[in-house]
Amino acid sequence: MTQLIWNGIFVGAFYALVALGYSMVYGIIKLLNFAHGDIYMVGAFAGFAMIGLLGSVSAAATLPVLLVVLVAAMLLSGAGGLLLERVAYRPLRGSPRLSVLITAVGASFALEYGMRLVAGPNPRVYGLRLEGSSVELLGARVSMQQVALVVVAVALMIALQYLVMRTRTGRAMRAIAEDSTASLLMGINVNAVISRTFFIGSALAGAAGVMAGAYYGKIDFLMGFVIGLKAFTAAVIGGIGNIKGAMLGGLTLGLLESLGTGWLGGQWRDVFAFGFLIVFLVVRPTGILGERVTERV
Amino acid sequence: MRRRRLARLPLVAAASAALLLTACGNGLLSEDKAGDSSSGPILLGMLAPMSGSSAAIGPYMKNGAQLAVTEINAKGGVAGRKLELRVEDDACDAKTATAGANKLVTQGVKVSVGGYCSGATLPTLPIFAKADVPMLIPAANSNELVNQHLPNVFLLNGTGTQQADAALAYLTKIQSARVAVMDDNTSYSKDIADLTAERLKQAGGPELAGRDSVTPGESDYSANVTAVLKTKPDTIYWTGYFQEGGLIIRQLRQAGYQGKILVADGSVDAKLIEIAGAKSAQGVLATMTPTPETIESAKGWIQSYKATFNSDPGPYSTQSYDAVRVAAEAIRAAGSTDGKAVDKALEALKDFPTFAGPLTFTKDHTLSRGGFLILKVSDGHFVLEDSLQ
């Protein structure tokens, strides 16, 4: 049982990191960025390329090297998010929401199959793998690399929370979420702030991609698809547009999946996860933290 | 304005339909002529995964088949005509495979020598059957392929039943007590897993500890791993493909599982070891049809393959090579490229020498013996562990 809960928390941390980007973009411009999962894939591949460049670093320094790679890949995937917003979404700002949604789906395919052209269809294996011993904790087997990844994920989430609540950019984001026209009139550069939002959300997804690559080892050009859907589900469960909601939603979804698999068997995992999405949409469409919807970012 | 444009629409549609029809008619007509004139090359079609999840296998199959085509052509071809191989990508996906099969049929292929993923090969059966194109399937091995008893479908690989039998024989031999079976919900994988589980449930021999299916395409299978380990197996049989297989092997070892891991032929690929990591993959066993490295008589063949393609032959290259040779032999025996005549010639084939031994098809159009072996991962390579003879 504790093992199931730990598994759920660990997977949930990944979902939460990706769900944050979904939620921020939705909160600020009401766009469901369906290409967000593929930014996660771009991050994983950027990390893969970085490791290839660094090549012959000693295996003893795995963790510091990984942190460097992580930061570099976050910058790259953040830049990817910026570009995506500039090319695919900004020209359509003000057009009906359905057109933007369709563009997002198109952008998703463009990223997936673009990466296939660049990196090939075969799965790639990370040259740098997190290895570590594991300990028994309350009957669950917890490995050191899992703890390290959860710590990195939590640190990123705290940094984001600080950024949104305590900085000028964060205040501008919250203002645009309230009313973008009024913010424009008050002298906020709306386009720049939206770009920054995309950068931050994409960088978080890229971080999750690198962490998945280093932990699981295998990356491929379609890896963003399933996690994109799961992160979307997590964002809805937590209350889309709400940062704390995205974190909570990620953890909830991870736990639901883990416990559901333990209870019903592995083939029911996705049925269970997406079934819950439907239940939430019917019973509580605003998600767990939905009542705070006015403070979305 | 708008109205007039709309009124023209049916006209345009009719015109383009007529164009299409005449184009098709021309195509069929010219193809018939080519068939009658008995000159020009005999086309062999192959559907293989050149992209997608199993993209690593496609080139092996293509090269194996091409090697046979080149050799046969060098000896003067079949009945005075050269062979020509046409390869289409099936991406291990039903929709892509159907499109590819239609394309091959319109190009006028006489025999199909492809088929790797069972799930992608199944929907192409009616397309080739309708066009009377005999199929020599070198790799796909779901029982579903032959259960429909189509006259044009022949398997050159052991079936799921034969693979499950081999797995059970080996598990009994090593006196495994509790076996958990995991599949990835694909047609090929479920077939072998169900058949193995059925055999394990019968009294005597190893016992079925647990049964789990995973959804392919994800990264984290820890929930499945926890569920399977709860059943306390001493051997776990994974019947899916190598991508998920590698992840599951690694996650099983990380969860502290010490017992044996057996995988099916879809997981026999160097990438499996890479994904799992050399340490986790060490000692993993596999049920597999003969690969070039495990065939004694293939030494010279491996050399000519290396010389031609500048790479090592991989899984299913020998089977694809044999598929072309069997096809050539059947066309020679039938004395024509007519599908029905070739089917008859294939059924009448007796003890034709192949890498898997002398070949005579059973009345179900399968191999009389599957020839499955047990391989074992040792220092990052699959090596022969037990030939199950």
Side-chain angles (χ1 to χ4, degrees), chain A residues 3-4 7 10-11 116 121-123 125 129-131 134 141 145 215-216 218 220 226 230 258 261-262 265-267 269-270, chain B residues 50-52 55-56 185 212-213 215 217-220 222-224 226 230 243 247 250-251 254-256 271 274-277:
Chain A
Q3 185 68 59
L4 290 178
N7 289 345
F10 179 68
V11 181
R116 191 182 100 164
N122 284 332
V125 178
R129 302 283 281 267
L130 276 177
E131 305 283 352
S134 45
R141 210 182 156 87
Q145 64 263 44
Y215 181 72
Y216 299 114
K218 184 202 79 165
D220 64 83
V226 173
K230 292 277 172 73
S258 180
T261 309
Q267 57 271 52
R269 175 172 161 178
D270 286 358
Chain B
M50 310 303 273
S51 68
N185 268 322
D212 201 33
S213 304
T215 313
E218 301 197 14
S219 305
D220 197 292
S222 55
N224 303 84
T226 310
K230 221 164 51 188
Q243 291 210 27
L247 292 170
R250 189 177 167 88
Q251 289 168 27
Q254 275 175 346
K271 273 269 190 262
E274 252 187 87
I275 294 170

Side-chain angles (χ1 to χ4, degrees), chain B residues 38-230:
Chain B
S38 72
S39 64
I42 302 173
L43 296 185
L44 303 180
M46 168 178 264
L47 284 167
M50 310 303 273
S51 68
S53 55
S54 297
I57 303 292
Y60 298 142
M61 292 175 65
K62 181 185 172 185
N63 290 348
Q66 187 58 51
L67 195 61
V69 167
T70 315
E71 280 180 18
I72 292 165
N73 284 346
K75 286 184 195 148
V78 179
R81 293 171 66 183
K82 299 274 186 215
L83 295 180
E84 191 183 321
L85 183 68
R86 293 277 169 93
V87 180
E88 283 295 323
D89 182 14
D90 71 10
C92 198
D93 162 68
K95 287 193 291 286
T96 320
T98 318
N102 277 318
K103 194 169 165 193
L104 289 174
V105 166
T106 14
Q107 284 178 357
V109 299
K110 297 299 176 202
V111 180
S112 155
V113 292
Y116 173 72
C117 290
S118 299
T121 310
L122 272 168
T124 67
L125 298 188
I127 298 169
F128 286 118
K130 207 172 157 209
D132 261 340
V133 174
M135 295 176 77
L136 283 157
I137 303 174
N141 61 3
S142 168
N143 282 318
E144 291 295 317
L145 294 166
V146 281
N147 278 352
Q148 305 170 30
H149 295 287
L150 292 169
N152 67 322
V153 176
F154 296 83
L155 287 195
L156 276 183
N157 190 3
T159 59
T161 313
Q162 286 164 332
Q163 180 152 192
D165 284 340
L168 191 79
Y170 186 68
L171 291 168
T172 312
K173 193 170 170 183
I174 60 171
Q175 296 178 338
S176 177
R178 295 176 61 78
V179 182
V181 183
M182 293 175 84
D183 67 70
D184 68 1
N185 268 322
T186 58
S187 163
Y188 144 81
S189 173
K190 234 182 162 49
D191 186 40
I192 299 172
D194 286 343
L195 290 163
T196 310
E198 209 172 278
R199 281 160 176 68
L200 287 169
K201 272 184 209 151
Q202 282 155 15
E207 195 186 324
L208 179 71
R211 179 87 173 73
D212 201 33
S213 304
V214 310
T215 313
E218 301 197 14
S219 305
D220 197 292
Y221 293 109
S222 55
N224 303 84
V225 162
T226 310
V228 165
L229 291 187
K230 221 164 51 188

Side-chain angles (χ1 to χ4, degrees), chain A residues 83-290:
Chain A
L83 193 72
L84 178 72
E85 193 267 338
R86 191 71 192 79
V87 173
Y89 301 142
R90 193 178 293 179
L92 287 167
R93 197 159 299 152
S95 45
R97 275 165 74 182
L98 191 60
S99 334
V100 189
L101 197 69
I102 293 166
T103 315
V105 174
S108 164
F109 283 121
L111 281 174
E112 281 169 12
Y113 290 90
M115 188 55 83
R116 191 182 100 164
L117 281 180
V118 175
N122 284 332
R124 298 302 186 92
V125 178
Y126 257 51
L128 214 56
R129 302 283 281 267
L130 276 177
E131 305 283 352
S133 52
S134 45
V135 288
E136 290 274 330
L137 190 76
L138 302 171
R141 210 182 156 87
V142 175
S143 68
M144 281 303 124
Q145 64 263 44
Q146 284 179 325
V147 175
L149 290 186
V150 171
V151 167
V152 172
V154 170
L156 286 171
M157 289 182 214
I158 291 173
L160 177 71
Q161 184 69 19
Y162 175 83
L163 183 112
V164 169
M165 301 315 282
R166 295 264 185 272
T167 63
R168 282 174 66 91
T169 305
R171 204 182 311 146
M173 284 177 184
R174 283 180 285 146
I176 293 172
E178 289 283 339
D179 189 333
S180 70
T181 322
S183 310
L184 195 62
L185 293 173
M186 294 307 286
I188 296 174
N189 186 344
V190 173
N191 275 340
V193 174
I194 291 174
S195 291
R196 256 172 256 163
T197 312
F198 265 89
F199 181 87
I200 295 164
S202 304
L204 289 176
V210 173
M211 282 155 62
Y215 181 72
Y216 299 114
K218 184 202 79 165
I219 58 171
D220 64 83
F221 71 98
L222 286 176
M223 69 188 281
F225 178 71
V226 173
I227 201 153
L229 285 181
K230 292 277 172 73
F232 169 68
T233 309
V236 171
I237 287 180
I240 193 157
N242 183 311
I243 287 189
K244 289 205 183 92
M247 299 180 200
L248 187 67
L251 288 181
T252 310
L253 183 65
L255 285 171
L256 278 176
E257 272 189 13
S258 180
L259 296 174
T261 309
W263 175 41
L264 290 168
Q267 57 271 52
W268 289 94
R269 175 172 161 178
D270 286 358
V271 179
F272 200 67
F274 294 122
F276 252 92
L277 173 67
I278 297 171
V279 170
F280 256 93
L281 286 174
V282 171
V283 177
R284 195 178 165 81
T286 50
I288 300 175
L289 296 183

